[in-house]
Amino acid sequence: MNLSRRQLLAASTVAGATLAVPGVATAVPAVIRRDRPALPSGIASADVTPQSAVVWSRTDRPGRLVVQLTSNGRFDKSIRLRGPVTSAADDFTARLPLRGLRPGQRYDYRIGFEDAHGRVGETLDGSFSTPGRNRPVSFVFTGDTAGQGYGINPDLGGMIAYKAMHDTRPDFFLHSGDNIYADGPIAAELKVADGTIWKNLVTDEVAKVAETLAEYRGRYKYNLLDHNVRDLYADVPLVAQWDDHETLNNWYPGEILTDDRYTEKRVDVLASRAKKAFLEYLPMEHVAGRDRIYRKVGYGPLLDVFCLDMRTYRGANPTPATAGPVAMLGAEQAAWLVREVAASKATWKVIASDMPLGLLVPDGDLIEAVANGVAGAPGGREHEIAWVLSQFKKRKVRNAIWLTADVHYAAAHHYDPSRAAFTDFDPFWEIVAGPINAGTFGPNALDDTFGPQVVFSKAADFASQSPASGNQFFGHTTIDPRTGVLTVSLRNLFGTVLWTKDITPAHH
């Protein structure tokens, strides 16, 4: 019987779902040797460029990562690569950088783990395509997964917004932060404000706030129980960044908690554990031997993606009245961003920002994001962003677009110095997406420092609205290789287009 590759992929992912979620019936029984390494969390690729990629998986015991790579769909003609030996020290996760790839090429890969006797256990197949010249580029972007107690709901079919993103067949998926909600316990049932009951698949590790390394890891394992997430990751390369909830709400370095739910009060200790789990479970290209989350992912002549880290280097959350500079990116990252964006030869420069620039995001009486809500000249964290924007103008950066999540609703903002208190910058767009599987909120108040205008907004009907309402949002972007036109749309849980805009590139 000759199965098509699509049928084989479907069979392998169904088998994985049977293994990972006991009690969920499927039509295809799992055929897995229990005496050999299994793949309970699926597979993934990440940070794909014209010449490189990273592939990832996790097994359930010590073993060596083994990857078969082919560009013709035939694994009997594949290259066999042996990766690292994994252990409990990295929660049996493993990643393998791939070098020397050909631009504009589709690659299929098969991942498994060898045991001590050289026997390979369960295998799963995935694919990715390297960017090439004269090819359109498409990607999806969003943030905020499994927040406000909304986890994997079997009645809804799991995290089905991931399927809606997958169905667009994008070249890659940009997750703009809050990949997990380490500070948000997930219970079997949750009563929603509209009187409905939301049901969750639960595990022991999501029952309380994450403090231990095992509990942080458990949050990623939980999300990977969802077949929609695993199917997307196997088929669509990931570009991941982080925000606060990978550690805990609104954190900053040096913070000491007063939250009674935590026995460990030192945020720096929690953030160190959280970062280790993040890097174990979300594969990325390591930068010059450093575990640095901010990085550039060069996606060929049409696109460079600059992933920011607005969490690690920030100062303490300031009051709105703080006039002097407060770090958000930190001096080194801000200088890196300006230098790399100015040097970029790509038509479009996507600034993947884990927080919005012009929306007021409070932390009690303090300021959590950039905007301080105070009219007039930049204050607090606005100083750093003002410097970045003015440097972009000075260095004649063209076609920079900011993409973000964080605020749990969808919006399109246009920034223009003619409307702004601070005027030393060129006009630009900021597109806000998310949540993808969390409570929906919004809209937030706008700050006029950089002159934003709301061109589109779709928010919740009430605070912490459940995903079942359909108010879950992701962005979809395509770039036409002939004209360079970037078409961006905002879509809901079902993939319905709510708003779209064609942006013509300016030329140097």
Side-chain angles (χ1 to χ4, degrees):
M1 178 180 178
N2 292 318
L3 286 174
S4 71
R5 185 181 168 280
R6 185 176 293 278
Q7 288 169 311
L8 280 170
L9 269 174
S12 65
T13 51
V14 167
T18 305
L19 174 72
V21 191
V24 178
T26 61
V28 183
V31 183
I32 297 167
R33 292 283 300 268
R34 298 293 175 187
D35 60 338
R36 296 187 188 179
L39 303 176
S41 297
I43 60 176
S45 66
D47 284 15
V48 171
T49 76
Q51 291 88 27
S52 67
V54 179
V55 293
W56 172 96
S57 189
R58 172 179 163 265
T59 186
D60 60 349
R61 68 197 74 186
R64 181 182 292 279
L65 180 69
V66 179
V67 179
Q68 287 177 262
L69 186 68
T70 180
S71 59
N72 57 18
R74 291 186 55 183
F75 285 104
D76 58 341
K77 304 280 189 183
S78 63
I79 302 167
R80 192 169 188 269
L81 304 165
R82 301 181 81 221
V85 174
T86 191
S87 70
D90 41 40
D91 209 24
F92 306 111
T93 62
R95 53 187 285 285
L96 182 66
L98 305 176
R99 303 275 191 268
L101 302 180
R102 293 195 297 275
Q105 181 69 58
R106 178 199 166 102
Y107 286 93
D108 298 291
Y109 64 96
R110 177 171 292 163
I111 285 184
F113 286 83
E114 279 181 346
D115 65 14
H117 306 288
R119 301 174 304 182
V120 177
E122 181 187 8
T123 61
L124 289 174
D125 293 356
S127 63
F128 61 85
S129 294
T130 54
R133 290 195 175 276
N134 306 316
R135 292 192 177 200
V137 173
S138 71
F139 65 96
V140 289
F141 62 95
T142 191
D144 317 304
T145 302
Q148 290 71 50
Y150 296 112
I152 301 166
N153 186 338
D155 293 347
L156 196 65
M159 299 188 190
I160 59 172
Y162 274 82
K163 182 182 185 301
M165 292 193 294
H166 195 176
D167 285 347
T168 71
R169 314 308 302 172
D171 291 314
F172 65 90
F173 166 42
L174 169 63
H175 199 301
S176 302
D178 295 341
N179 292 266
I180 60 167
Y181 273 70
D183 56 333
I186 296 172
E189 290 192 353
L190 175 69
K191 188 169 183 181
V192 187
D194 61 3
T196 59
I197 301 296
W198 175 273
K199 295 182 179 179
N200 286 311
L201 178 75
V202 292
T203 63
D204 291 343
E205 292 158 317
V206 300
K208 64 177 284 290
V209 296
E211 298 180 81
T212 66
L213 179 56
E215 288 164 347
Y216 282 111
R217 288 165 166 169
R219 293 289 173 156
Y220 294 97
K221 281 187 273 205
Y222 177 82
N223 289 0
L224 291 168
L225 293 176
D226 185 84
H227 66 94
N228 303 291
V229 175
R230 286 204 316 276
D231 289 353
L232 177 75
Y233 282 11
D235 219 25
V236 178
L238 180 65
V239 176
Q241 59 189 137
W242 77 345
D243 190 29
D244 54 338
H245 291 286
E246 285 84 1
T247 306
L248 58 92
N249 188 44
N250 295 355
W251 74 272
Y252 52 83
E255 184 182 3
I256 303 297
L257 296 178
T258 56
D259 189 331
D260 291 339
R261 298 178 301 167
Y262 288 86
T263 54
E264 175 54 73
K265 305 293 189 184
R266 296 167 296 172
V267 166
D268 288 355
V269 173
L270 296 171
S272 176
R273 295 169 185 165
K275 186 176 184 184
K276 179 170 171 56
F278 175 88
L279 292 170
E280 286 170 345
Y281 277 86
L282 294 173
M284 63 183 63
E285 182 62 52
H286 284 200
V287 181
R290 296 169 61 186
D291 285 339
R292 198 182 78 186
I293 293 169
Y294 74 84
R295 66 202 187 281
K296 169 188 158 185
V297 180
Y299 206 79
L302 291 176
L303 176 65
D304 281 336
V305 181
F306 301 88
C307 293
L308 303 186
D309 176 357
M310 291 177 151
R311 197 54 55 179
T312 305
Y313 313 100
R314 65 166 53 200
N317 287 351
T319 64
T322 301
V326 177
M328 184 64 155
L329 301 170
E332 182 183 323
Q333 183 180 189
W336 165 85
L337 177 62
V338 167
R339 182 177 66 248
E340 292 295 322
V341 172
S344 171
K345 298 290 194 290
T347 305
W348 288 96
K349 295 88 176 166
V350 161
I351 317 298
S353 175
D354 38 300
M355 302 203 78
L357 302 185
L359 291 175
L360 188 61
V361 184
D363 174 22
D365 295 331
L366 304 176
I367 294 300
E368 158 69 353
V370 175
N372 62 7
V374 177
R381 295 196 176 109
E382 293 172 335
H383 284 282
E384 211 172 51
I385 299 303
W387 180 79
V388 167
L389 295 176
S390 65
Q391 287 293 311
F392 281 3
K393 179 181 178 181
K394 179 181 178 182
R395 298 177 187 225
K396 296 182 169 53
V397 168
R398 299 289 180 262
N399 312 320
I401 181 170
W402 295 67
L403 305 182
T404 189
D406 181 64
V407 288
H408 294 238
Y409 71 99
H413 301 144
H414 185 257
Y415 291 75
D416 194 303
S418 67
R419 296 186 293 262
F422 175 84
T423 61
D424 188 21
F425 69 97
D426 292 323
F428 66 95
W429 284 90
E430 173 187 63
I431 313 298
V432 185
I436 200 64
N437 197 90
T440 314
F441 294 88
N444 290 36
L446 271 187
D447 180 295
D448 70 354
T449 300
F450 303 117
Q453 180 182 56
V454 179
V455 179
F456 172 82
S457 178
K458 182 75 169 74
D461 300 315
F462 55 88
S464 199
Q465 189 171 17
S466 94
S469 68
N471 281 335
Q472 303 285 288
F473 307 108
F474 67 94
H476 180 275
T477 305
T478 58
I479 305 173
D480 186 317
R482 294 173 296 107
T483 63
V485 170
L486 182 148
T487 302
V488 60
S489 61
L490 287 165
R491 308 185 184 199
N492 70 7
L493 176 79
F494 309 108
T496 304
V497 176
L498 307 176
W499 173 85
T500 188
K501 175 75 177 175
D502 292 336
I503 309 174
T504 301
H507 296 288
H508 292 279

